[in-house]
Amino acid sequence: MTLNKSLAGWGLLVVLGLNLRPILSSISPLLGEIRLATGLSFQSSALLTSLPVVCMGLVALVGIRVEAQLGERRGIALGLMMILLACLARWLLAQAPALLATALLGGAGVALIQALVPAMIKRQFHQRVPLAMGVYSASLMGGGGLAALLSPLVASHFQHWQAGLGIWLLPALGALLLWAWLPLGAAKNLQVTAPLQGLRNRRAWLLALYFGLVNCGYMSMVAWLPAYYQQLGWGVLPSGSLLAFMTIFQVIAALLMPALAQRGIDRRPLLTISLLAQTVGYLGLLLAPLQYPHLWVALVGFGLGACFALSLLLTLDHRRDPREAGQLAAFVQGVGFLINAVSPWMTGWLRELTGSFVSAWVVLTVTVIAMLVVTRVFSPATYRSAAVPT
């Protein structure tokens, strides 16, 4: 890449990533006001987080066909347009069915972009894939944190919760204009590997299940962390800022851990550290939530930020060809995000069943400990010598 094209590529990674989580994280700090205005129950309101993630999974599974029909240029532009329209509808419409519809529309837009970006990273940053994945992941998580922090402030300024959700059409519009201006993104791919081939490969399934389970805590935290601390007596702004505080450590981990991963080919040591951080954080939320809340949230955020970037990097390691790596990443994200979608719904269900979030932290802790055991399977010797068929 030339210098200008290289800088444009890095800038686009940041801009695209910033737009992929506000559709989720802007909901949580305002959930009390949304439930009061719409009459949604805890379990039903969890759909505002779960439905976009379901879309992420389903669209990622057909991402190869999307690339063939649209190409990266049109596919990512369409995704940004869908996010923009979803945010605009949230500003204008206040009914529960409309909110659920925007969750589907915005989630499909996020899914289109997430399905197409890994192949772009593998192709344009072929010598710096770990660092590029870190920048992309950090931007993605940073956008989520900004939305959690700023949405209640915007809602307070305009004296309406809808403004806190709708304001995120502005960065989507900016990203759309930038994407249209910069000559990046591949054309259509007319030679498509059938996505269902992934269904016949055990390693592809293992990577997908692993990606889903090591990252499922993020969706529960985004959906319910502010509500958990509001139940413990915190206000709307402090609880939302706690989610933003978690994001700081997600961003740090998403930048630091892939940069460290650049020095070697074995991802297991860094993944182990990341999962241990999650484990300690969940145990802290379970056993001493009010004593050291920022410490537990920081550990969870660090672990989640690292796991997202490292698990995607681990997936890309399994393929040398950028397009094939993107196809495998699409399958892994598709199945993984469908698993992720269950997490906030399950947390809301457990909250209604037991009256607290304690049981949800127990489930997440057990899940992460199980993934610590699974991590040992991913020795580079099992995938570096030959490509893994998908």
Side-chain angles (χ1 to χ4, degrees):
M1 290 188 291
T2 65
L3 179 59
N4 288 339
K5 189 176 180 180
S6 176
L7 291 175
W10 289 106
L12 266 177
L13 278 185
V14 173
V15 171
L16 289 175
L18 287 173
N19 278 281
L20 300 184
R21 287 298 177 267
I23 201 77
L24 298 172
S25 60
S26 60
I27 291 285
S28 184
L30 300 171
L31 189 58
E33 297 176 49
I34 293 171
R35 289 183 62 242
L36 186 63
T38 61
L40 287 168
S41 67
F42 276 104
Q43 195 170 354
S44 298
S45 59
L47 292 174
L48 294 174
T49 303
S50 293
L51 286 177
V53 185
V54 170
C55 287
M56 292 179 201
L58 294 177
V59 174
L61 287 174
V62 298
I64 301 167
R65 297 298 178 189
V66 170
E67 182 186 1
Q69 295 297 319
L70 299 176
E72 287 173 4
R73 290 293 300 166
R74 292 181 180 178
I76 290 177
L78 178 60
L80 290 169
M81 179 64 71
M82 294 168 79
I83 294 171
L84 190 158
L85 291 176
C87 293
L88 177 62
R90 286 183 168 185
W91 199 318
L92 299 177
L93 304 173
Q95 296 79 21
L99 283 178
L100 294 174
T102 63
L104 287 170
L105 179 63
V110 170
L112 272 176
I113 298 169
Q114 288 185 161
L116 296 172
V117 165
M120 186 179 76
I121 288 176
K122 187 81 171 181
R123 185 184 62 256
Q124 290 201 201
F125 303 93
H126 56 91
Q127 294 180 334
R128 294 185 176 181
V129 171
L131 182 59
M133 186 58 68
V135 170
Y136 167 67
S137 301
S139 303
L140 182 149
M141 295 161 192
L146 284 173
L149 180 64
L150 297 181
S151 289
L153 295 177
V154 173
S156 176
H157 176 76
F158 287 96
Q159 298 183 341
H160 207 295
W161 57 267
Q162 290 172 256
L165 304 184
I167 194 69
W168 300 103
L169 68 87
L170 296 179
L173 177 61
L176 184 62
L177 294 175
L178 184 62
W179 179 253
W181 177 58
L182 293 172
L184 296 175
K188 297 179 182 181
N189 173 25
L190 299 179
Q191 296 180 342
V192 180
T193 302
L196 292 180
Q197 288 183 0
L199 298 174
R200 298 195 295 267
N201 183 264
R202 287 183 296 177
R203 177 50 67 94
W205 271 106
L206 181 60
L207 285 166
L209 293 171
Y210 186 79
F211 176 84
L213 292 173
V214 299
N215 292 303
C216 67
Y218 174 74
M219 299 302 172
S220 284
M221 296 292 280
V222 166
W224 298 114
L225 180 65
Y228 176 53
Y229 274 91
Q230 287 171 25
Q231 184 180 355
L232 295 175
W234 288 39
V236 172
L237 291 178
S239 61
S241 66
L242 194 62
L243 189 57
F245 182 77
M246 182 187 82
T247 304
I248 294 173
F249 291 87
Q250 284 182 280
V251 171
I252 292 172
L255 289 171
L256 175 63
M257 300 298 261
L260 294 175
Q262 186 86 40
R263 302 180 181 181
I265 61 173
D266 192 348
R267 314 304 180 197
R268 293 176 298 172
L270 295 178
L271 281 165
T272 298
I273 293 171
S274 307
L275 289 167
L276 285 173
Q278 282 194 55
T279 303
V280 175
Y282 292 137
L283 287 173
L285 291 175
L286 175 64
L287 301 174
L290 293 176
Q291 280 81 347
Y292 306 101
H294 290 85
L295 174 60
W296 312 136
V297 168
L299 286 169
V300 171
F302 186 91
L304 289 170
C307 280
F308 182 85
L310 291 172
S311 57
L312 267 183
L313 179 59
L314 176 68
T315 299
L316 295 179
D317 285 344
H318 281 69
R319 282 300 203 182
R320 293 187 179 91
D321 178 73
R323 206 174 290 278
E324 292 178 353
Q327 291 173 4
L328 178 59
F331 176 80
V332 166
Q333 289 185 93
V335 176
F337 282 125
L338 289 176
I339 294 172
N340 286 180
V342 177
S343 181
W345 179 88
M346 178 204 69
T347 304
W349 175 72
L350 290 172
R351 164 65 179 79
E352 288 204 336
L353 185 68
T354 65
S356 76
F357 292 97
V358 169
S359 54
W361 308 142
V362 172
V363 172
L364 289 173
T365 302
V366 172
T367 300
V368 171
I369 291 173
M371 291 303 99
L372 274 168
V373 178
V374 175
T375 301
R376 296 176 57 86
V377 173
F378 297 113
S379 168
T382 65
Y383 58 82
R384 297 295 291 191
S385 58
V388 176
T390 62

